[in-house]
Amino acid sequence: MKSSTLSLRMTACAAGLASAITLGCVGRATAGPIATDGPAQTAIAHPGADGNGTVGTMSFAPVSGTYKPVIGGGQTQAQTYHARVFQDGRGMCTSTLVSSRYILTARHCVEKPAQYTFRIASTYAESGGTTAAATRINLHPSADLAMVRLDRDIPHTPARIATSYPQTGSYLSVYGWGATCTPQQYEAYCQSPVLKTATMRMAGLASDYYGGTALQLEAVDGVGAGGDSGGPAMTDHTLVGVASTSDRQSFTRYTATAPYADWVKSVAANG
């Protein structure tokens, strides 16, 4: 994450929306909640043979050892459910442990063939915590969500999944190991080595990268940047949204968990 003058480094929206870049790509605005979708498409993979992401940036050696806090936000201690996503060994997205065997992240982070691993419950992107690899990836068919089955049970407390929307005007905490510098072409070189947090305000509903229901969150003291994709928006240890798109300046759209909570629980229950 980075200052309000930044947003997430992602590929431009295929629809050509010049004002938005994704953590993926900003979707169309919507007037109200979209109904919960049906069963997800499932991509079966051998450990490390499932999807990559178009939104999170890859991590490389940082330009310097100095890291800015998230736009007035700052560094924070990881909770048991925070997880960094690695694609072929490079940090590129953020995610959340939602059961002993499943990680929830953005679909665009893990939809292309690659080796995916996760570092869970560590403040540091490159050390500590518990590591695990993907064995199966379940992609939601119409929202920017993916459930990743891990190769082992994780002995940490998972996050709760919200089944209702946060109130308009309420304040949420967002988390990630994303970029801390500008301009955006350098985001891959300044991924934060420590977990960061910022406060954002719920402004209403919008669409995520794939047209799913998203929370439109406005920057209060921070906004997402490349590498924060798939990361959580939370209140009281409850996951209300998953980072999908951003304008790189003033808002980030988080796919809402409320309309997809049954899908998340169903995938997790299938083991």
Side-chain angles (χ1 to χ4, degrees), residues 1 23 81-82 94-98 104-106 144-146 159-166 172-176 200 202 204-205 208 213-217 228-235 237-245 252-261 264:
M1 293 180 186
L23 249 180
Y81 43 74
H82 289 129
T94 301
S95 61
T96 306
L97 183 73
V98 293
L104 178 64
T105 190
D144 197 3
L145 295 175
R160 297 188 293 267
I161 303 296
T163 55
S164 61
Y165 296 96
L172 305 175
S173 296
V174 299
Y175 300 87
M200 302 193 80
M202 172 67 174
L205 295 177
D208 69 15
T213 303
L215 310 177
Q216 176 93 2
L217 302 188
D228 294 321
S229 242
M234 306 197 74
T235 178
H237 299 287
T238 300
L239 180 64
V240 298
V242 175
S244 178
T245 70
T252 303
R253 290 177 179 173
Y254 282 73
T255 304
T257 59
Y260 309 111
V264 171

Side-chain angles (χ1 to χ4, degrees), residues 89-104:
R90 294 175 174 177
M92 47 80 69
C93 275
T94 301
S95 61
T96 306
L97 183 73
V98 293
S99 79
S100 62
R101 202 73 179 223
Y102 276 91
I103 287 280
L104 178 64

Side-chain angles (χ1 to χ4, degrees), residues 7-212:
S7 72
L8 311 123
R9 174 188 178 278
M10 294 292 81
T11 54
C13 178
L17 299 176
S19 63
I21 303 268
T22 83
L23 249 180
C25 159
V26 173
R28 302 173 300 283
T30 182
I34 296 174
T36 301
D37 293 288
Q41 298 173 340
T42 301
I44 307 261
H46 300 293
D50 300 78
N52 124 83
T54 56
V55 171
T57 57
M58 304 299 182
S59 66
F60 299 85
V63 174
S64 75
T66 302
Y67 295 86
K68 302 175 185 177
V70 214
I71 320 172
Q75 299 176 3
T76 189
Q77 183 73 33
Q79 298 298 315
T80 54
Y81 43 74
H82 289 129
R84 179 63 157 158
V85 183
F86 294 85
Q87 177 190 322
D88 295 331
R90 294 175 174 177
M92 47 80 69
C93 275
T94 301
S95 61
T96 306
L97 183 73
V98 293
S99 79
S100 62
R101 202 73 179 223
Y102 276 91
I103 287 280
L104 178 64
T105 190
R107 171 179 161 180
H108 70 252
C109 286
V110 292
E111 66 181 353
K112 293 182 180 179
Q115 180 177 12
Y116 289 94
T117 55
F118 302 84
R119 185 176 301 281
I120 305 157
S122 175
T123 299
Y124 304 97
E126 301 289 343
S127 64
T130 300
T131 57
T135 61
R136 184 172 69 240
I137 296 178
N138 298 270
L139 305 176
H140 196 281
S142 57
D144 197 3
L145 295 175
M147 285 281 282
V148 182
R149 189 179 189 277
L150 304 175
D151 63 354
R152 68 199 67 187
D153 287 333
I154 305 301
H156 301 314
T157 303
R160 297 188 293 267
I161 303 296
T163 55
S164 61
Y165 296 96
Q167 290 188 327
T168 299
S170 62
Y171 293 91
L172 305 175
S173 296
V174 299
Y175 300 87
W177 283 271
T180 59
C181 67
T182 178
Q184 89 180 52
Q185 59 262 40
Y186 295 128
E187 288 183 348
Y189 297 92
C190 62
Q191 298 283 285
S192 178
V194 295
L195 184 65
K196 300 183 311 303
T197 186
T199 299
M200 302 193 80
R201 187 181 71 86
M202 172 67 174
L205 295 177
S207 293
D208 69 15
Y209 186 47
Y210 295 100

